[in-house]
Amino acid sequence: MKKIITLVSAIAILGACAEKNSTNTITTSALSSEEKKDSTHIKQFFNTALTEGKSYEWLRDLTQNIGGRLSGSPEAAKAVVWGEQLMKNVGLDSVWLQPVMVPHWVRGEKEQAYYTINNQQKQVPICALGFSIATPENGITGEVVEVKSLDEAKKMGDQLSGKIVFFNGAFDETLINTFQAYGGCVGQRFSGARVCGELGAKAVIVRSMTNGINDYPHTGTMSYGDLPEDKQIPAAAISSRAAENLSNDLKANPNLQFYFKQSCKTLPDAPSHNVIGEIKGTENPEKIIVVGGHLDSWDLGEGAHDDGTGVVQSLEVAYLLKKNNIKPKNTIRVVFFMNEENGTRGAKEYAKQAKLNNEIHVAGLESDAGGHTPRGFSIDANKNNTELVKSWKKLLAPYGLHDLIKGGSGADISPLKNNEVTLVGYRPDSQRYFDYHHTVTDTFDKVNKRELELGSASMASLVYLMDKYLYTDDKVKP
Amino acid sequence: MKKIITLVSAIAILGACAEKNSTNTITTSALSSEEKKDSTHIKQFFNTALTEGKSYEWLRDLTQNIGGRLSGSPEAAKAVVWGEQLMKNVGLDSVWLQPVMVPHWVRGEKEQAYYTINNQQKQVPICALGFSIATPENGITGEVVEVKSLDEAKKMGDQLSGKIVFFNGAFDETLINTFQAYGGCVGQRFSGARVCGELGAKAVIVRSMTNGINDYPHTGTMSYGDLPEDKQIPAAAISSRAAENLSNDLKANPNLQFYFKQSCKTLPDAPSHNVIGEIKGTENPEKIIVVGGHLDSWDLGEGAHDDGTGVVQSLEVAYLLKKNNIKPKNTIRVVFFMNEENGTRGAKEYAKQAKLNNEIHVAGLESDAGGHTPRGFSIDANKNNTELVKSWKKLLAPYGLHDLIKGGSGADISPLKNNEVTLVGYRPDSQRYFDYHHTVTDTFDKVNKRELELGSASMASLVYLMDKYLYTDDKVKP
């Protein structure tokens, strides 16, 4: 009896393991013989990434030994040297630096903010927005007017004169894709100071672009547009929890005085580089498939998910092709773009030089949505090529890549857009991305090794398929 | 000119946001009018979970105020009281405790392990396996024999006599679903001491069941089977990094002496409870859909992903139904099962009582694979009902639930299995699960609020569909 009971227990426990095992099996029965070959190569990319992948250690080096690397900073310059050396180490056929002048904004001293309510001084986690001007040396004090959107601010007009305008539009948490929620709010951050400066406001403070409630101010770029200098006003982000608290405190005391101080400034443009390396194509070396992420990052945090992961994944695509002896027909070019965060000057320079040199880009793939678990790709291409990419779903779905959909690609490759080029954005799961985005918590420890490697292999698989199938079949030529 | 440049920059930056926005849109054009109604309800479950969800705060309370709660422990008893009160707070129609006797194993003092090589003592992170006996009070010292599997140990036979057997089979990292890798290794942990005790070994130490290399020993249950007491030997897990190091050190010094000490023991069975609550069905109150997770956890860590998340998600299913005024036709019963980790006594008692009371279970849903981002459901049902559940993919895929596949459900509901009942396991993304599983890092801070809530809403959606469509159409009756 004891034996039977123990056996039953053992079966129950081992059964429980087995029962959890049933997803993600790769079935090849519905594939053509050519697709079976593709399936085998794709499996090899995943196997290699998960057992001999380099991206995680590359990322550790970039984030922990260099760290945050805002355009124009010494860290960004170090990252260029690091990237060039790494591409050479991977054994790309050629590696070079493409010069580009970049904006050079510096944060200065750590920002301060507080207000007093019920005789208690409340400290507010705050950070300047990129391109903002400083406050006067002694800071700014003023009454606060809360609004939820740019439209609401515009409607208030002159009532904002002399006030600190507090943009408190929160993410729409019901949107499953958090990038949509970001898209619905980021206008406040980008244009709040331009709109309110025009209306004579004293400054703007913006609720951080993040899901939920946390204690970190999230920076990001803003613009004064064509606002004359005398109307430009300081702009900063406060944490979402501070925004909630301030909103409540304003209900109790609409006249409370908010104080903040920041010493950021924009210096003259600085020289920098895109880092470029390539594997020469065996059949059509003049045709280029570009794969990239951006090397610069915000100064807060270590630029891990934004976009250290995209950088190391892009290079790992080349590593995985080489390691598996894939000789691409077209040239596979890896680009570490400079200055995506505040100017996209690297992207513009890359596209400009491509045009000047009559380069033929057949495709581009960008990873700039974090290093989380794979979900799919977003395709910006003509109808035939969009359908072609979608047709690879049966090969990619076993790896969690179900979302092959029409959409944008990414800020760094989209300047290459025309009717002949197939541009694709890598789309990992978005749930955790805005926990870290542009803030001090975007650090190496937030990146899971397997999720990162699965992303590299996903990207390598797509590049392999694009190299093999784009422009080889009359039906899918643009 | 400046204006144009600034405008272009603004468009590029905002465009970059919009371009990341294109996944997970919910399209309803291909749905029937009834399916559109379903789609609306499902959207409501997600909206409610993401904006008024309770699961995250419930989980904080369970994990941080009670903590790890191994069967028979004071913490497990507290968790029962907590669960009963919480179900009442949610306003379930009835709530009760179902008595069950559970195993009562205690870890005792913190375990110690080390060995000496090159005159240096190396400390080894170690923990006893559940149900293991203690070492003698002064510990065990012995030579180490490394094997990679149970089969290899069996083949070595008498050579293991008097040795400490070191099971060093590692996860197969190429398996995309990490539960498959776990399934391939866990036999070493579960049966290593039984097999080696029979062969006269002195003890077993087992590489932790985890992906990659980390510093935490992962506990878990083991069994001596019908091994007589005098052949039972102590069993412990060591961290994967320690396993790698030990393996290397054994190559240099095959005779090194390994020492470890643990004082765990199994006490007499203890009284405990399953916690049960239900919403009475309006049409078929006698027909039951059970949804559950397990309330007990290992003593290391806080039992967050295993299985605090499953517990709070299961109750949130009922909360979401009530909050959205869904009156289920069948009875929806929430069960917090006791003792999944070492005995599944709660599950067995629940199934036994269901049979004794002639209860009709039409379906079951279990969440015991972590609180990560949704991927799908695994279906254990007859052919018709399996196809029926699969047919809901168009309603579920917009929420990332693409994997609707035949497979097992879970250890706690599988004792209910028969040809009439549709059993389903919730399957979130598996990449990070074994980083935390059964170790000190399985804590509240590892759970992302949105991922947890998306899981609750996924489960509520499935329960809603099962309630509406199972057993209503002649074609899908078993």
Side-chain angles (χ1 to χ4, degrees):
Chain A
M1 186 63 186
K2 189 181 169 198
K3 183 171 181 175
I4 291 169
I5 290 171
T6 315
L7 246 169
V8 169
S9 303
I11 289 164
I13 287 157
L14 293 176
C17 309
E19 281 162 8
K20 290 176 177 176
N21 289 348
S22 40
T23 50
N24 297 108
T25 340
I26 289 112
T27 52
T28 53
S29 54
L31 303 179
S32 71
S33 67
E34 200 59 31
E35 286 168 342
K36 280 182 187 163
K37 278 189 216 164
D38 297 335
S39 169
T40 301
H41 283 304
I42 288 171
K43 180 82 183 104
Q44 284 168 343
F45 296 141
F46 279 88
N47 286 356
T48 306
L50 290 166
T51 57
E52 302 174 84
K54 303 287 184 190
S55 52
Y56 192 67
E57 291 308 318
W58 292 341
L59 184 67
R60 187 198 301 275
D61 193 22
L62 175 63
T63 54
Q64 300 200 326
N65 294 333
I66 297 177
R69 43 202 180 276
L70 190 56
S71 291
S73 69
E75 292 80 9
K78 275 188 210 165
V80 167
V81 174
W82 171 90
E84 185 184 20
Q85 187 57 54
L86 194 62
M87 284 191 185
K88 287 180 179 167
N89 293 352
V90 170
L92 299 191
D93 296 333
S94 49
V95 176
W96 69 98
L97 300 183
Q98 183 176 61
V100 56
M101 293 299 289
V102 295
H104 189 190
W105 177 85
V106 293
R107 183 172 301 282
E109 284 171 31
K110 186 157 173 51
E111 303 86 341
Q112 289 178 40
Y114 57 80
Y115 58 94
T116 302
I117 187 151
N118 299 334
N119 296 319
Q120 277 204 314
Q121 196 182 77
K122 284 197 182 176
Q123 298 296 317
V124 175
I126 194 166
C127 68
L129 294 179
F131 291 135
S132 174
I133 59 170
T135 58
E137 208 172 326
N138 293 327
I140 278 179
T141 306
E143 281 189 6
V144 177
V145 178
E146 177 179 345
V147 295
K148 293 287 174 62
S149 68
L150 288 173
D151 280 348
E152 196 182 333
K154 285 174 192 163
K155 278 183 199 148
M156 294 194 74
D158 290 346
Q159 296 174 60
L160 300 183
S161 178
K163 308 290 188 186
I164 295 176
V165 183
F166 165 35
F167 283 93
N168 194 24
F171 271 29
D172 179 351
E173 300 287 349
T174 69
L175 294 167
I176 303 302
N177 183 329
T178 62
F179 285 97
Q180 288 187 332
Y182 179 64
C185 281
V186 71
Q188 301 171 80
R189 187 195 77 200
F190 188 73
S191 302
R194 178 177 61 73
V195 167
C196 297
E198 186 66 49
L199 297 170
K202 194 181 266 184
V204 298
I205 50 178
V206 184
R207 181 191 181 105
S208 282
M209 299 292 121
T210 184
N211 286 99
I213 303 300
N214 63 58
D215 292 313
Y216 308 104
H218 295 234
T219 191
T221 199
M222 53 78 66
S223 167
Y224 293 115
D226 53 358
L227 206 61
E229 272 193 19
D230 63 339
K231 289 195 165 184
Q232 295 179 6
I233 56 175
I238 64 173
S239 76
S240 57
R241 195 188 310 278
E244 292 284 299
N245 291 342
L246 178 58
S247 182
N248 286 332
D249 289 338
L250 283 168
K251 287 184 187 85
N253 184 355
N255 304 114
L256 67 77
Q257 296 280 308
F258 189 95
Y259 167 85
F260 79 107
K261 186 174 122 174
Q262 59 191 26
S263 58
C264 46
K265 59 183 166 186
T266 302
L267 303 175
D269 284 358
S272 187
H273 300 88
N274 292 324
V275 183
I276 308 178
E278 62 185 30
I279 301 173
K280 213 67 180 169
T282 52
E283 288 181 26
N284 317 309
E286 78 289 0
K287 288 185 176 156
I288 298 162
I289 296 174
V290 64
V291 53
H294 66 86
L295 192 52
D296 64 306
S297 80
W298 283 102
D299 52 336
L300 308 175
E302 299 171 355
H305 280 288
D306 189 13
D307 182 27
T309 53
V311 162
V312 298
Q313 286 173 327
S314 296
L315 184 56
E316 192 149 84
V317 168
Y319 166 79
L320 293 174
L321 293 174
K322 286 177 66 73
K323 194 88 182 168
N324 286 290
N325 281 315
I326 302 290
K327 313 274 186 212
K329 295 189 303 181
N330 306 287
T331 290
I332 309 298
R333 184 182 285 176
V334 180
V335 183
F336 297 167
F337 292 95
M338 182 50 68
N339 185 231
E340 191 273 349
E341 292 295 1
N342 54 345
T344 55
R345 296 271 189 90
K348 289 168 196 158
E349 186 64 22
Y350 181 81
K352 182 179 153 192
Q353 294 298 329
K355 197 166 181 185
L356 283 173
N357 298 322
N358 293 314
E359 288 180 350
I360 307 167
H361 280 78
V362 297
L365 171 59
E366 180 167 335
S367 171
D368 185 19
H372 299 111
T373 196
R375 286 287 191 181
F377 295 103
S378 166
I379 313 153
D380 186 9
N382 65 40
K383 198 170 167 225
N384 284 338
N385 286 337
T386 300
E387 291 309 308
L388 178 66
V389 175
K390 284 186 182 180
S391 76
W392 300 329
K393 183 165 172 173
K394 58 188 160 204
L395 294 165
L396 299 171
Y399 303 95
L401 297 158
H402 296 275
D403 298 330
L404 300 181
I405 46 170
K406 184 106 188 128
S409 58
D412 281 321
I413 62 171
S414 54
L416 297 168
K417 185 171 166 68
N418 66 41
N419 194 50
E420 280 74 46
V421 65
T422 298
L423 300 177
V424 180
Y426 170 57
R427 294 291 171 264
D429 194 73
S430 74
Q431 299 313 319
R432 290 165 278 159
Y433 187 65
F434 291 98
D435 295 357
Y436 321 130
H437 185 245
H438 295 185
T439 193
V440 291
T441 62
D442 186 12
T443 47
F444 178 68
D445 58 302
K446 304 307 186 308
V447 179
N448 175 278
K449 183 170 182 284
R450 284 179 61 85
E451 292 187 301
L452 178 72
E453 291 165 348
L454 290 170
S456 302
S458 299
M459 291 168 63
S461 302
L462 191 82
V463 166
Y464 162 86
L465 291 168
M466 294 201 296
D467 179 63
K468 180 167 174 182
Y469 291 113
L470 279 179
Y471 294 83
T472 57
D473 179 342
D474 279 344
K475 282 176 296 182
V476 299
K477 273 185 185 164
Chain B
M1 186 62 186
K2 191 181 169 200
K3 183 171 180 175
I4 292 168
I5 291 171
T6 315
L7 246 168
V8 169
S9 302
I11 290 164
I13 288 158
L14 295 176
C17 308
E19 281 162 7
K20 290 178 177 176
N21 289 348
S22 40
T23 50
N24 296 109
T25 339
I26 290 112
T27 51
T28 54
S29 56
L31 303 180
S32 71
S33 67
E34 201 57 32
E35 287 168 342
K36 280 182 189 165
K37 278 188 218 165
D38 297 336
S39 168
T40 302
H41 283 304
I42 289 171
K43 180 82 183 104
Q44 285 167 343
F45 295 141
F46 279 89
N47 286 356
T48 306
L50 290 166
T51 57
E52 303 173 82
K54 303 287 185 191
S55 52
Y56 192 66
E57 291 307 319
W58 293 341
L59 184 67
R60 187 199 301 274
D61 192 24
L62 175 64
T63 53
Q64 299 198 327
N65 294 332
I66 298 177
R69 44 201 179 276
L70 190 56
S71 291
S73 69
E75 292 80 9
K78 275 188 211 167
V80 168
V81 174
W82 171 91
E84 184 185 20
Q85 187 57 53
L86 194 62
M87 284 192 185
K88 287 179 178 167
N89 294 351
V90 169
L92 299 190
D93 295 333
S94 49
V95 175
W96 69 97
L97 301 182
Q98 183 175 61
V100 57
M101 293 299 290
V102 294
H104 190 189
W105 177 84
V106 292
R107 184 171 301 281
E109 284 171 33
K110 186 157 174 51
E111 304 86 342
Q112 288 177 41
Y114 58 78
Y115 58 93
T116 301
I117 185 147
N118 300 333
N119 295 321
Q120 278 203 314
Q121 196 183 75
K122 284 197 182 178
Q123 298 297 317
V124 175
I126 194 167
C127 67
L129 294 178
F131 291 135
S132 174
I133 59 171
T135 58
E137 208 172 327
N138 294 328
I140 278 178
T141 306
E143 282 189 8
V144 176
V145 177
E146 177 179 346
V147 296
K148 294 287 175 63
S149 67
L150 287 172
D151 279 349
E152 196 182 332
K154 286 173 191 163
K155 277 183 198 148
M156 293 193 74
D158 290 346
Q159 296 174 60
L160 300 183
S161 180
K163 308 288 187 184
I164 295 176
V165 184
F166 166 35
F167 283 94
N168 194 25
F171 271 29
D172 178 351
E173 300 286 349
T174 69
L175 295 167
I176 304 301
N177 185 329
T178 61
F179 285 96
Q180 288 187 332
Y182 179 64
C185 281
V186 71
Q188 300 170 81
R189 186 195 77 200
F190 188 74
S191 303
R194 178 178 60 75
V195 167
C196 298
E198 186 66 51
L199 298 171
K202 192 181 267 184
V204 298
I205 51 177
V206 184
R207 182 192 180 103
S208 283
M209 299 292 120
T210 185
N211 286 100
I213 303 300
N214 63 57
D215 292 313
Y216 308 104
H218 295 234
T219 190
T221 199
M222 54 78 66
S223 167
Y224 294 114
D226 54 357
L227 205 62
E229 272 192 20
D230 64 340
K231 289 195 165 183
Q232 295 179 6
I233 56 175
I238 65 173
S239 75
S240 58
R241 195 187 312 278
E244 292 284 299
N245 291 341
L246 177 59
S247 182
N248 286 333
D249 289 337
L250 283 168
K251 288 183 186 85
N253 184 355
N255 304 114
L256 67 79
Q257 296 280 307
F258 189 94
Y259 167 84
F260 78 109
K261 185 175 123 174
Q262 58 192 26
S263 58
C264 46
K265 60 182 165 187
T266 301
L267 304 174
D269 283 358
S272 188
H273 301 87
N274 292 323
V275 184
I276 307 180
E278 63 185 28
I279 301 173
K280 212 70 179 167
T282 52
E283 288 181 26
N284 318 308
E286 78 288 1
K287 289 185 173 156
I288 298 162
I289 296 175
V290 65
V291 51
H294 66 85
L295 192 52
D296 64 305
S297 80
W298 283 102
D299 53 336
L300 308 176
E302 299 171 356
H305 279 289
D306 189 11
D307 183 27
T309 53
V311 162
V312 297
Q313 286 173 327
S314 296
L315 184 56
E316 192 149 84
V317 168
Y319 167 79
L320 293 175
L321 294 175
K322 285 176 69 71
K323 194 87 182 169
N324 287 288
N325 280 314
I326 303 290
K327 312 275 187 209
K329 293 189 302 182
N330 305 288
T331 291
I332 309 300
R333 184 181 285 176
V334 180
V335 183
F336 298 168
F337 292 95
M338 181 51 67
N339 185 232
E340 191 274 349
E341 291 296 0
N342 55 345
T344 55
R345 295 271 189 92
K348 288 168 197 158
E349 185 64 22
Y350 180 82
K352 182 179 154 194
Q353 293 299 328
K355 197 167 180 183
L356 282 173
N357 298 321
N358 294 312
E359 288 180 348
I360 307 167
H361 280 77
V362 297
L365 172 60
E366 179 166 336
S367 171
D368 185 19
H372 299 111
T373 196
R375 286 288 191 182
F377 296 102
S378 166
I379 313 154
D380 187 8
N382 65 40
K383 196 169 170 229
N384 284 338
N385 286 337
T386 300
E387 290 310 309
L388 179 66
V389 174
K390 284 186 181 180
S391 76
W392 299 330
K393 182 163 171 174
K394 58 188 158 200
L395 294 165
L396 299 171
Y399 303 94
L401 297 157
H402 296 275
D403 298 330
L404 299 182
I405 44 168
K406 185 107 188 127
S409 58
D412 281 320
I413 62 172
S414 54
L416 298 168
K417 186 170 164 71
N418 67 43
N419 194 50
E420 279 76 44
V421 65
T422 298
L423 299 177
V424 179
Y426 171 57
R427 293 291 172 264
D429 195 72
S430 74
Q431 300 312 320
R432 291 165 277 159
Y433 188 65
F434 292 98
D435 294 357
Y436 321 131
H437 187 244
H438 295 184
T439 192
V440 290
T441 62
D442 186 11
T443 47
F444 179 68
D445 58 301
K446 304 307 186 308
V447 179
N448 175 279
K449 184 170 180 285
R450 284 180 61 86
E451 292 187 302
L452 178 71
E453 292 166 346
L454 290 170
S456 302
S458 300
M459 292 167 64
S461 302
L462 192 82
V463 167
Y464 162 85
L465 292 167
M466 293 200 297
D467 179 62
K468 180 166 175 181
Y469 291 112
L470 279 179
Y471 292 86
T472 57
D473 179 340
D474 279 345
K475 282 177 297 185
V476 299
K477 274 186 184 163

